[in-house]
Amino acid sequence: MPVVNIRLEKLSKLIGKELTAEEAAQHLAAAGLGIEETTENEIKVEYNPNRPDYSSIHGIARTLKGILGKQRGLPRFKLRNPKIIVNVDPSVQGVRPYIVCGVVRNLSLTEEDLEELIAMQEDLHWILGRNRKKVAIGLHNLDVLTPPFVYRAVKPEELQFIPLKSSTKMTPKQILEEHEIGRKYAHLLESYDRYPMILDARGNVLSMPPIINASLTELTSGVRNIFIDVTGTDWEKINQTLNILMTSMIDSGGSGEAVIVRYQRKRYLTPLMKNEYLTLKSSLVNELLGLNLSDKAIIDLLRMMRFDATPSRKGMLKITVPPYRTDIMHPVDLVEEVAIAYGYSRMELELPKARIFGSVRRTTIIQEIIREIMIGLGFTEVLNILLTNEDEQYRMMNVNEHPHIRVLNPATREYTMMRTWLIPSLLRNLADNQQHLYPQRLFEIGDVIVPDPTQPEKARRRLSLAAVSCHADASFSEMKGIAEELFRLLGLNIIFTPTAHTSFIDGRVAELCVRDSPIGIMGEVSPSVLESFDLPMPTTAFEVDVEQALQYRLEKD
Amino acid sequence: MATQCNQQLSLHWLEKLVLLALNELNRPAIYEELAQKAVELVNRAQTALSRESFTTTARKPSAIAKACGWLQQKQLIEQYEHGETTRIISLGREGLRYASEGLPERRLVNFLIERGGEATVDEVSSAVNDYTIALNWAKRNGWIAFDKKNSETYVRIVSEPPSMTVAEELLQRLMLEDTIPMDSLPEEMKNIVEQMITRQDVIRIVEKRERRVGLTSKGKELASQLAAVKLEDILSEITQLTPEILKTGKWRHLTLSKYDITAAVPPVFAAKRHPLVELIRLVKQVYVEMGFEEIQGPIVELAFWNFDALFQPQDHPAREMQDTFYVDLEEKGEIPREYVDEVKKVHENGGRTGSKGWRYNWSEDEARRLVLRTHTTATTIRHLAEVKKPPIKVFSVDRIYRNEKVDWKHLAEFHQIEGIVMEKGANFRQLMGIIKEFYSRLGLREVRFRPSYFPYTEPSAEVEVFLGGKWLELGGMGVFRPETTAPFGVKYPVLAWGLGLERLAMAIYGVEDIRTFSRNDLAWLRRTSPLTPYRVAGRI
């Protein structure tokens, strides 16, 4: 989850109230922010990605002002009349079709403010921009530029400019191939033969979205006037992004100014900064929260959360949603706002009314009974995970691969598939425990995953039981006695049929059968398998398909 | 006095013999001397049991040495190395063989007697092992002579040897006593030793610094007490009760020695459940107590149930390959036709729910992809779609997957404690109430909630539990959004939660590394008590 650093001094100034770190942390947590770290002057908080407006201290301060009663209802953001035009050339149509822009003047940004602004930009790139694919942001020093600007696509080697983090002029093609940041984002443009570019009236490059800005417009701490471009493939998301940036920068003391963005057929005054309107039934609030709030109380609580709310008719409220709240999709989202403002900790807890009796599944009962038997037979339970790899499941076991479920792109290299049998992980457990006292007798009861084309999910879980006995005198006969007792207690008549299995010693391996149907395997593990697990101790093992075995039992009943 | 008495009674009969031997010698002695003295004492005693059963052990200086070790620990004797060295003889590899098979020259003579007093060298060579050694020594002893008849060489007995030679006697003693100090041997035998030392590895002589054993003052006192007891009473004490002793009724004449019951014994380990399974068992029990019914669903799951049905947009970061395990299968899954249209609409424009929806083109293909489920909520929504009718209270404790790098804090496969309540009038306060009840039944009474976010619940909350001196984030919860329930015809609020099992288990078992639960380290498994979760829960 994204994280934002909150300087306490700045927060107090923005809210207009001195807060200690402890007080601030308490209010932030109540607003739904996760406190990661608190120092005397700074609080590091985690915010949920449904609230991109929390990517800056200004967005967070806005909510806190409401909660602390410093300012309620819809925040106002003044926009001055446009002075700058951005022309959108049709050439961007097939590449990165949309652009919206804004201007903020008369800022006075310190080095720290600037750092926060860059951090906010990065968070927005990730949350709304899907790592710049859908949305890319450019912030520029307006004072070095000459409007009007044009947004058009250029050929790979049509022009040259000095990008950020470089000292020489480069063509767009060179940037994608040679520049560190260019190479990182080159995949976003790889299928195009033209690259989007924002240029000023004198042909100066502002930006090559979504890759990199020109070094010319780089922001430094003295900068006063900023031009913002937001380009992308998703009209709604670029507008949300611009709204969040503009509201935050206006809250930081700048004066906002609209920009005329002229497309071929239509022109927009951006940022759009449109409020949205929703109707909320107060009964929905009370039903979902189990509270009994009056319309007026609900209005007050929503105003704390910086919405405007007015009664339309009895039990119906008209809610105005500010432009930076991209997360409000349905009236239930407003119910949560009421709950947060009311305070989760203030709500009296109660229990649901339904009278239903509890029960566990058949598989839980079966597993418990088998556990009892195996423990009674002196076997210690182990619990392995289902993720494993072909090497352990097959190659080390000296068997050919069976059909199995593979996973794509695992972050941990040894997880490439789901286990199809349990014995391999039990042998690994034994190998890992050689420093401990023998005899070692282990069992596991759990699922394996088998491909099954008849299922909608093309696979199914199958309950398996495996046991290993490992000590200097481990033998087939010891394990046979154990298996016989297990199955006797399960009410099954088990028959040991000679078979061939390359994981086990030839002539010391049996197929376990119930009524002529194989349900498992048992044998002395072959020395070559023991060697591949690096386990120099005689080991016997068995594994059975529990569901299949018990099916016979049920039929018999 | 009482302690002394106990100590005396906890002595092994061999220890007692050593004390008595030292008492009688009345001076420090070496093991070999003690062994001889011990045998002498036994032979003097009147006993109902066979003397041999004691002397076979007592005559071995190695057994005496062991008993001395025990006595030293009990501070009844002290052992010290003497300045002088002693020559100790013992059997070599060949000597051991000869002692059991017989000397080669003896075997030769026996063979010849069988053959009426003579045989050809050829016959001897095939019938007698080590025949060259045998011929050589029999000749040296003057037992045989060689004759030539018809170009064949014959071996013939000229003087029958005594039934046991001194050499053979020496081998027998060494067999019984292991080691004998050279000085203690009679002159005649010493000569034989000098002779036998020339034979290949029959006898070994080592120079040993003498170890002398003497009584401590405590030992002296005890030894004189023992001397007052009849030796047969001491010897009639046994350590091990056998079926034979019981059956024959011999036990009536014997005393069973007392044990040092405080002594350490080899460890024994109980087989038991895996600690995580033990906790799962308790969690399931809590659910059943609270009236929940268990459900189970697929681990390889359709993206449809894992994500789409839960209103997670198809470009949601959680759906990306670096977070979710996708199954590598050419064939895609089959999604339930009856819900496809409704789910599509809800994603695209909110359908009839009054929601704005996510406003993108929903792809059926994407929903047909197969994943390792990232939460058991996939199973929950399946169940809701199948049952629909209120009231519903179900749970599961089962495995889920995240495509994450594994370290001490993160696993790629772990367990989720899932649950839902669906009924008319279900509300958020009840949701918090039920979670509070759940944890308090596990002994965790301090629980708090804070706002959180999940794409499929609103309102949503994070639950934190106070355990081990700190607040632990243990899981998420919320009321299902209408976009989640409406496509499946679910009409009432659904209270849902997914809580972490391993993180709870870490706190309960005091484990720092989350991988402990799948590592199966026997030391940890053996050490961990099944009581732990029940004790934390305040149930015992």
Side-chain angles (χ1 to χ4, degrees), chain B residues 376-395:
Chain B
T376 40
T377 320
T379 298
T380 294
I381 189 73
R382 271 176 179 271
H383 184 78
L384 278 171
E386 191 189 318
V387 175
K388 292 184 179 62
K389 257 178 52 194
I392 293 177
K393 274 170 82 177
V394 294
F395 80 93

Side-chain angles (χ1 to χ4, degrees), chain A residues 275-537:
Chain A
N275 293 330
E276 297 213 17
Y277 302 94
L278 251 77
T279 304
L280 176 66
K281 275 195 221 166
S282 42
S283 61
L284 179 72
V285 176
N286 286 325
E287 275 164 25
L288 267 185
L289 300 182
L291 295 174
N292 192 13
L293 300 170
S294 66
D295 289 3
K296 183 173 176 308
I298 294 172
I299 288 171
D300 285 347
L301 291 168
L302 284 170
R303 285 176 53 79
M304 268 172 80
M305 300 306 285
R306 312 310 305 272
F307 298 91
D308 267 355
T310 49
S312 59
R313 57 194 149 87
K314 178 98 181 94
M316 296 288 238
L317 308 175
K318 190 183 169 209
I319 314 296
T320 311
V321 180
Y324 57 84
R325 287 302 300 264
T326 58
D327 58 314
I328 307 296
M329 302 171 70
H330 187 279
V332 290
D333 295 306
L334 295 168
V335 174
E336 186 182 71
E337 297 293 319
V338 173
I340 293 172
Y342 185 89
Y344 284 15
S345 58
R346 260 182 70 203
M347 290 189 202
E348 207 177 302
L349 308 187
E350 66 171 33
L351 289 173
K353 303 273 184 292
R355 279 181 196 278
I356 302 177
F357 298 103
S359 61
V360 293
R361 286 175 65 81
R362 175 178 173 272
T363 172
T364 296
I365 298 168
I366 289 169
Q367 288 187 43
E368 271 304 295
I369 290 169
I370 291 176
R371 271 190 192 107
E372 294 292 342
I373 298 173
M374 291 310 295
I375 291 165
L377 288 166
F379 285 71
T380 295
E381 185 178 25
V382 294
L383 196 62
N384 287 291
I385 60 170
L386 275 58
L387 282 165
T388 178
N389 56 70
E390 283 82 357
D391 207 36
E392 184 175 294
Q393 286 273 300
Y394 305 120
R395 196 195 59 74
M396 289 167 78
M397 294 303 297
N398 195 24
V399 291
N400 293 327
E401 292 191 10
H402 315 305
H404 58 272
I405 296 293
R406 292 182 51 82
V407 295
L408 289 166
N409 228 21
T412 299
R413 280 228 314 276
E414 61 263 43
Y415 300 156
T416 57
M417 63 171 287
M418 301 300 273
R419 68 184 180 190
T420 55
W421 60 329
L422 306 179
I423 289 175
S425 22
L426 289 176
L427 292 180
R428 179 172 29 80
N429 297 150
L430 290 173
D432 289 345
N433 277 302
Q434 289 175 51
Q435 74 275 31
H436 300 305
L437 279 174
Y438 286 94
Q440 294 180 4
R441 296 189 178 89
L442 310 178
F443 82 98
E444 178 165 11
I445 182 158
D447 288 317
V448 298
I449 304 290
V450 288
D452 184 348
T454 67
Q455 298 291 317
E457 308 82 31
K458 307 299 166 198
R460 72 187 155 81
R461 306 166 70 155
R462 203 192 69 201
L463 188 61
S464 198
L465 165 71
V468 288
S469 178
C470 177
H471 53 103
D473 302 318
S475 71
F476 187 90
S477 59
E478 173 204 10
M479 212 49 156
K480 185 174 179 183
I482 281 159
E484 277 175 347
E485 174 63 356
L486 167 71
F487 287 103
R488 191 188 65 74
L489 290 174
L490 292 177
L492 288 166
N493 192 11
I494 194 97
I495 292 156
F496 294 79
T497 318
T499 186
H501 192 299
T502 46
S503 297
F504 301 96
I505 298 170
D506 191 27
R508 299 185 181 187
V509 51
E511 198 165 57
L512 309 187
C513 297
V514 178
R515 296 211 206 147
D516 300 334
S517 296
I519 57 143
I521 189 97
M522 189 188 111
E524 289 184 16
V525 179
S526 108
S528 72
V529 170
L530 293 177
E531 190 179 73
S532 55
F533 278 90
D534 208 0
L535 174 63
M537 188 63 82

Side-chain angles (χ1 to χ4, degrees), chain A residues 367 371 381-387 418-419 422 444-449 461, chain B residues 276-277 280 296-300 372-376 379 396-402 412-417 501-502 517-518:
Chain A
Q367 288 187 43
R371 271 190 192 107
E381 185 178 25
V382 294
L383 196 62
N384 287 291
I385 60 170
L386 275 58
L387 282 165
M418 301 300 273
R419 68 184 180 190
L422 306 179
E444 178 165 11
I445 182 158
D447 288 317
V448 298
I449 304 290
R461 306 166 70 155
Chain B
L276 200 66
V277 171
I280 291 173
Q296 192 186 62
I299 284 175
V300 173
L372 303 186
R373 66 174 174 203
T374 61
H375 48 191
T376 40
T379 298
S396 74
V397 185
D398 214 343
R399 295 178 189 258
I400 60 168
Y401 297 82
R402 301 281 159 86
E413 176 173 340
F414 46 102
H415 290 80
Q416 188 168 7
I417 304 172
L501 177 75
E502 275 81 356
F517 298 114
S518 52

Side-chain angles (χ1 to χ4, degrees), chain A residues 53-176:
Chain A
D53 56 314
Y54 281 171
S55 59
S56 88
I57 187 170
H58 302 290
I60 291 170
R62 230 174 273 145
T63 303
L64 247 51
K65 270 197 244 182
I67 289 176
L68 293 170
K70 288 283 170 188
Q71 210 176 73
R72 297 202 162 169
L74 209 66
R76 308 284 157 186
F77 303 99
K78 242 210 264 163
L79 279 184
R80 294 193 186 171
N81 288 335
K83 291 183 190 144
I84 293 172
I85 297 175
V86 176
N87 291 304
V88 183
D89 189 88
S91 58
V92 296
Q93 203 49 51
V95 189
R96 197 167 180 85
Y98 305 123
I99 183 168
V100 286
C101 305
V103 167
V104 186
R105 293 189 193 264
N106 300 320
L107 285 160
S108 59
L109 300 179
T110 65
E111 200 63 49
E112 283 156 328
D113 293 334
L114 211 54
E115 266 172 39
E116 285 171 6
L117 190 57
I118 303 298
M120 175 187 194
Q121 184 185 353
E122 282 316 304
D123 277 7
L124 292 174
H125 272 153
W126 180 73
I127 300 166
L128 289 168
R130 309 295 291 112
N131 221 356
R132 302 197 188 185
K133 187 172 165 223
K134 289 189 166 186
V135 179
I137 301 161
L139 301 175
H140 310 277
N141 178 1
L142 179 57
D143 296 338
V144 300
L145 296 166
T146 316
F149 305 143
V150 63
Y151 178 47
R152 68 181 174 91
V154 302
K155 286 186 214 136
E157 287 171 299
E158 189 177 321
L159 51 77
Q160 281 189 319
F161 69 100
I162 305 174
L164 283 173
K165 294 192 177 176
S166 168
S167 52
T168 54
K169 286 190 168 186
M170 299 173 92
T171 64
K173 184 170 185 278
Q174 281 172 319
I175 289 171
L176 295 182

Side-chain angles (χ1 to χ4, degrees), chain A residues 176-214:
Chain A
L176 295 182
E177 284 168 2
E178 293 159 28
H179 194 282
E180 178 199 340
I181 298 170
R183 283 211 305 268
K184 185 172 167 195
Y185 292 101
H187 64 277
L188 295 173
L189 290 178
E190 72 188 350
S191 52
Y192 304 107
D193 58 0
R194 271 161 203 262
Y195 305 139
M197 203 67 68
I198 306 171
L199 300 138
D200 81 350
R202 288 193 301 197
N204 286 319
V205 171
L206 280 71
S207 171
M208 173 182 165
I211 311 295
I212 199 162
N213 283 354

